[in-house]
Amino acid sequence: MRLLIVEDNARLAALTAEGLARRGLACDVARSLDEADAAIAAARYDALILDLGLPDGDGVAWLAARRREGESAPALILTARGSLEERVAGLDAGADDYVTKPAEIDEIAARIRALLRRPGPRANSLLENGPLRFDTASRKASVEGRALDLGRREGDLLEILMRQAGTVVRRSAIEDALYSFAEPVTPNAVEAIVSRLRRRLDQAGAGGMLHTIRGLGYMLRASD
Ligand code: CA
């Protein structure tokens, strides 16, 4: 279980992270929307806690854009903005809960636990790139409607590459995302998963989408 707190107030972020950690909810902190994007690209979060006034933009617009891109982690907005209009806008943008500051850590923790208990599948769980589709809730992938038979790790890898389609994803980032700290990783583990995924894509006629960028990592890109 891992949460991402997006909050530019360092003291509040630290207090929230500590309080939630003491209640069994491990948290990473992002101090800006840019940092949040980088964190989400590198790890999978079970829930997001989102401030709205951030140095590089507005949390509501960011969340709406993330939802359109397929981000499905439950999101709790934690903000000083408490008007009815602001609450409605936040929930309409894709937030699952809305809490105004100041809030007690016990209430935030209880609300997060409630969000984590909700069963999937969630809305907007579909990632699309060229002929490729991946439903992050059902974990089913297809190429032009033909189902891909993927193991768990190949599916996880495909999700990581699709979320960052068109950019190089470093091998180390893939390793971090696919394996927990406790799991032993053999030197060629990522290569083996990539080659299994590539074989499946090949069989479905989409093998050309998965590019190896020598010395760096991998990139998924629809052919022109
Ligand atoms: Ca703020």
Side-chain angles (χ1 to χ4, degrees):
M1 198 59 65
R2 198 164 168 191
L3 313 184
L4 180 65
I5 299 174
V6 188
E7 169 63 67
D8 60 323
N9 179 324
R11 189 174 154 274
L12 181 59
L15 281 174
T16 308
E18 278 170 33
L20 292 175
R22 277 201 304 275
R23 290 158 179 82
L25 297 164
C27 301
D28 291 341
V29 172
R31 302 275 296 277
S32 65
L33 297 174
D34 259 359
E35 283 188 22
D37 283 331
I40 287 172
R44 185 180 301 165
Y45 290 97
D46 298 289
L48 311 174
I49 296 177
L50 180 63
D51 178 32
L52 294 185
L54 290 152
D56 52 352
D58 180 70
V60 171
W62 178 84
L63 180 62
R66 275 273 158 198
R67 289 294 191 229
R68 283 194 296 275
E69 288 161 15
E71 176 58 56
S72 60
L76 179 149
I77 289 178
L78 181 59
T79 177
R81 303 180 194 168
S83 76
L84 175 64
E85 291 79 8
E86 286 162 333
R87 288 169 177 269
V88 169
L91 294 166
D92 279 348
D96 299 86
D97 202 351
Y98 197 108
V99 177
T100 49
K101 297 172 185 170
E104 292 294 331
I105 196 76
D106 276 328
E107 179 178 359
I108 298 170
R111 286 177 180 270
I112 288 290
R113 286 194 299 269
L115 291 182
L116 295 173
R117 279 197 302 269
R118 286 190 194 170
R122 313 182 55 76
N124 292 329
S125 60
L126 190 65
L127 301 176
E128 290 182 84
N129 190 266
L132 197 55
R133 285 171 166 241
F134 185 72
D135 187 324
T136 58
S138 68
R139 315 302 296 167
K140 285 187 175 24
S142 64
V143 174
E144 284 169 348
R146 296 184 297 277
L148 287 179
D149 179 23
L150 300 180
R152 179 171 64 89
R153 290 211 205 277
E154 290 88 74
D156 289 349
L157 171 64
L158 182 62
E159 179 177 354
I160 293 162
L161 294 173
M162 286 187 80
R163 285 191 186 284
Q164 297 170 81
T167 62
V168 179
V169 185
R170 289 182 176 275
R171 184 170 323 189
S172 57
I174 293 173
E175 211 168 87
D176 288 348
L178 293 185
Y179 294 92
S180 72
F181 294 118
E183 278 176 290
V185 186
T186 59
N188 295 320
V190 169
E191 282 85 346
I193 296 165
V194 168
S195 72
R196 284 202 296 275
L197 175 59
R198 181 174 279 131
R199 208 176 314 135
R200 295 300 186 204
L201 290 171
D202 259 333
Q203 289 163 353
M209 289 181 70
L210 178 47
H211 302 267
T212 300
I213 313 299
R214 210 164 287 285
L216 281 179
Y218 303 94
M219 177 167 69
L220 192 79
R221 194 180 53 200
S223 38
D224 305 318

